[in-house]
Amino acid sequence: CHCPLYNEIEGVTKNLAARDDFVLFLFTLMTNKKTFLQTATLIEDILGVKKEMIPLEGIPNLSGLVQSFDQQQLANFCRILSVTISEPDAGNDDKHTLLAKNAHQKKTASPSRAEINQVTLLSIPGFIERLCKLATRKVSEATGLNFLQELEDWYTWLDNALVLDALMQMATEETEQSSTGDASSDESSLATSPLRHRLPQSMKIVHEIMYKVEVLYVLCVLLMGRQRNQVHKMLAEFRLIPGLNNLFDKLIWRKYTSSNHVVHGQNENCDCSPEISFKIQFLRLLQSFSDHHENKYLLLNSQELNELSAISMKANIPEVEALVNTDRSLVCDGKKGLLTRLLAVMKREPPDSSFRFWQARAVESFLRGATSYADQMFLLKRGLLEHILFCIIDSGCTSRDVLQSYFDLLGELMKFNIDAFKRFNKYVNTPEKFQAFLTQINSSLVDSNMLVRCIVLSLDRFESQTEDVKVVEVLSECSLLSYMARVENRLSFLFRLINIINVQTLTQENVSCLNTSLVILMLARRKAKLPFYLNALREKEYAEKYPGCMLNNFHNLLRFWQHHYLNKDKDSTCLENSSCIPFSYWKETVSVLLGLDRTSLCAIVRYIDEPFEDLDRDLLED
């Protein structure tokens, strides 16, 4: 906008933002009910242009201020809080190269300002409990608000003339019909007047949803922070999950909404409708809640937990410790738990809906961590595998994001599970279907490499279980396992995985290709086949007429791997859990491959002819 007034206002905002003392003082004005919204809006504008994040502990009597808010003000306040606790540019994290991120981590002080602000918030008595109440209250409980306040609120939330006109007209009609003119100015009579009840239900719902989006966002950020375990404990205790479960059908996934709306990309800042933002925020919360955390079983109800125990008993395997430790008084109530409701919705979602991405991510995070046979069977019984295969093979889905999330979910669902491979074979029962499946996998290995890893690992395990009749039968019949059992197919995946990445282009998203190539080589090393694979890489280079390129690239990647994963802050349990290969074996295999002795049959350097050595040696020197 080139309007001089606008530029002037923006200039003033920037000048005010530069003064920390002024910004912190503004917060103290929020105690005044009459000017609360204007103050909140001003603070939000200022924080939007402010370069550094403000320290929440600098706000005079923050704890008292927050405790003085009513629920509606607290929900509004969450909008401001979200800016102060989110890491800047965290949304696009996957796209930054790991080299850049590692360099940035070396430079920046730890903990960050956002992390310190999170700790400050968590120390406010009753804060999380009130957020859980806000997130889980029903629409009917939220309708006792003062109408004038409501009107002002709408004005702040929605710059939508139509909505306002409708409200104003209703208010005017009401006042004209009211014979006692003076009474209408009396707040108590307005609050109890029929006007409040004549607000369309849909408007009350949208209004409540707008609040919940902000609250869920704040809870989500806190769940992903360093205080994760403390937050988890509180969310469990204040029954956030059962509360959301009770809202599921009536509010979160109402049947007749714009849920078939296609949102392009996963930018949560897109200006989509409140309903869409709410659903995405809800799914992100579920994803952060169950990801590698034993509280994930709170997403089920008691009956479903009993079902998991029965599956373990029948398969004669011990129950997972987290399941045994789950506090039954904190799980979902009702006919279905939250996870089961989510599955039902997922199956009904239109093929091109972007909600599929978030739904698959949420269910996948339930399966993440150490592989649990009972968890997999619970989902397999509910037809999840057939649903995923339908989406990948038959639904005509072309969204890379959605396909990637379905590949990842399929990998977690099938890993080491012979029943899943049997079901796969039953669904993919023609050469055409199998070809269509392979084509989808091959169309982008960055997206599907976790699934490739799962198949390779599962095959390796099944080959060691040949005393089991069922395993032998599936091994001989399953098209997928037979395909991966052929060494030329494994090699073909290995070539491509190494070729799509190099040290300069590694990101959080594609580093998994490096780990998948390592899994293939670790399993080869266990069977003393490593020299065969390295020699095949060398022959491939010569055949393609670029000797040294692939092996030098791989050598550099492995040096980066050591640099990255042997860092003391790095969590290696993920690699261990997802592969069931001890981290010590990962480290050992990388050292063997990087060995300097040219006579060692397992050292990469033996397979690079001297003229082609050290092509990129200077690249990694710090």
Side-chain angles (χ1 to χ4, degrees), residues 205-206 209 251-252 254 257-258 272-280 355:
I205 288 175
V206 172
I209 281 175
L251 191 71
I252 299 173
R254 299 189 295 147
T257 65
S258 48
C272 9
S273 77
E275 294 253 8
I276 291 170
S277 314
F278 182 43
K279 287 183 166 133
I280 291 176
F355 288 131

Side-chain angles (χ1 to χ4, degrees), residues 243-254 282-283 286 337-338 340-345 348:
L244 289 174
N245 190 40
N246 294 335
L247 288 179
F248 193 87
D249 292 334
K250 299 247 173 0
L251 191 71
I252 299 173
W253 229 275
R254 299 189 295 147
F282 164 76
L283 293 169
L286 287 197
L338 206 42
T340 321
R341 288 183 196 278
L342 178 58
L343 286 177
V345 160
R348 292 198 302 262

Side-chain angles (χ1 to χ4, degrees), residues 416 421 451-461 463 481 484 490 493 516 519-520 523:
F416 306 130
F421 280 88
L451 175 60
V452 170
R453 191 190 305 184
C454 133
I455 302 163
V456 171
L457 283 163
S458 302
L459 173 70
D460 182 73
R461 173 161 316 174
E463 285 175 342
L481 290 170
M484 204 54 93
R490 281 204 301 281
F493 278 124
T516 298
V519 165
I520 294 173
L523 298 179

